[in-house]
Amino acid sequence: KTSEGKKILAPFRGHMERAGILKQYLSWINENGYPIEQICETKDGMPLSKGEDEHFYVLKDEAEGEECDVKNRWNMIGAMKSLAYFHKVSLQTPIDLPSYMVSGKEDVLEQYEKRKRELLKVRNYLKAKKKKNDFERMFQSCYAKYMEEATESILFLSGLEIPQKVCLCHGMCSQHSFLFVGNAQRNA
């Protein structure tokens, strides 16, 4: 706890430029109607500080509230609406992001193709295996459906006309990312 409220010191994987752009991006999103965690500056005006262990750390405002309850239907609906709104707001950012911080249609297609190849590898592995457990037998019985859905998804994505709009890939998102404060929602 500080004189400026509760803070969280967290390890940061990345470099100073990435942290600075992320700070700018989060600040813009917050100012444009989407309450989201903010990165605090050091005394030197930097977004990161280097610890004695030579690793970078980021100081963030601690978001207060109750985590999204996955067993509560209204919490889940609220979280999904919030995520959709985040995407809508983030697409409007005027901040130029470097190529290493963005994802486009090709990146998504590449991930889908990779997952399809992984399904094939698992199937081939199980074909060669003599003794199979219940899960493995269940997977084999569903494999054709999984592969069909993967192929359809790739064809669907390939056919989409997606404008070349740059957007930030937010990474993993879970119920821990959504906090409810009364009737409002804050995103950590």
Side-chain angles (χ1 to χ4, degrees), residues 143-160:
Y143 171 79
K145 182 68 176 156
Y146 292 153
M147 194 52 93
E148 179 185 329
E149 288 176 3
T151 302
E152 285 175 11
S153 298
I154 291 167
L155 287 171
F156 175 76
L157 283 170
S158 298
L160 285 179

Side-chain angles (χ1 to χ4, degrees), residues 47-107:
L48 298 177
S49 63
K50 197 178 243 186
E52 292 175 6
D53 59 2
E54 296 297 312
H55 291 100
F56 283 118
Y57 291 88
V58 63
L59 187 67
K60 300 187 276 187
D61 292 324
E62 181 180 333
E64 295 189 26
E66 197 173 312
E67 276 189 9
C68 176
D69 178 1
V70 295
K71 295 178 183 170
N72 180 320
R73 180 174 192 249
W74 299 111
N75 272 199
M76 294 301 292
I77 290 170
M80 292 308 99
K81 282 182 179 179
S82 181
L83 186 58
Y85 186 67
F86 167 80
H87 287 132
K88 182 179 178 181
V89 170
S90 67
L91 282 172
Q92 299 167 12
T93 181
I95 298 165
D96 288 328
L97 298 173
S99 61
Y100 67 86
M101 289 182 72
V102 297
S103 294
K105 178 179 174 180
E106 288 73 31
D107 300 308

Side-chain angles (χ1 to χ4, degrees), residues 24-178:
Q24 210 182 351
Y25 191 82
L26 292 172
S27 179
W28 185 89
I29 288 175
N30 193 55
E31 290 166 7
N32 284 275
Y34 189 84
I36 195 167
E37 70 182 7
Q38 297 296 297
I39 294 175
C40 305
E41 290 183 345
T42 65
K43 292 176 188 172
D44 303 326
M46 305 303 283
L48 298 177
S49 63
K50 197 178 243 186
E52 292 175 6
D53 59 2
E54 296 297 312
H55 291 100
F56 283 118
Y57 291 88
V58 63
L59 187 67
K60 300 187 276 187
D61 292 324
E62 181 180 333
E64 295 189 26
E66 197 173 312
E67 276 189 9
C68 176
D69 178 1
V70 295
K71 295 178 183 170
N72 180 320
R73 180 174 192 249
W74 299 111
N75 272 199
M76 294 301 292
I77 290 170
M80 292 308 99
K81 282 182 179 179
S82 181
L83 186 58
Y85 186 67
F86 167 80
H87 287 132
K88 182 179 178 181
V89 170
S90 67
L91 282 172
Q92 299 167 12
T93 181
I95 298 165
D96 288 328
L97 298 173
S99 61
Y100 67 86
M101 289 182 72
V102 297
S103 294
K105 178 179 174 180
E106 288 73 31
D107 300 308
V108 174
L109 276 170
E110 185 178 312
Q111 287 297 314
Y112 274 66
E113 292 282 359
K114 183 179 178 182
R115 297 299 175 253
K116 186 176 172 185
R117 288 190 304 271
E118 288 171 357
L119 280 173
L120 185 60
K121 281 182 184 179
V122 171
R123 188 205 58 179
N124 291 341
Y125 167 77
L126 291 177
K127 261 185 165 180
K129 192 174 176 187
K130 295 197 185 333
K131 281 190 168 186
K132 296 171 186 62
N133 63 32
D134 290 341
F135 174 79
E136 292 165 339
R137 283 189 294 278
M138 180 68 77
F139 173 84
Q140 282 186 308
S141 70
C142 298
Y143 171 79
K145 182 68 176 156
Y146 292 153
M147 194 52 93
E148 179 185 329
E149 288 176 3
T151 302
E152 285 175 11
S153 298
I154 291 167
L155 287 171
F156 175 76
L157 283 170
S158 298
L160 285 179
E161 289 297 322
I162 300 173
Q164 279 301 94
K165 176 65 179 157
V166 172
C167 61
L168 184 70
C169 182
H170 56 68
M172 190 181 85
C173 188
S174 71
Q175 76 272 18
H176 309 297
S177 304
F178 300 94

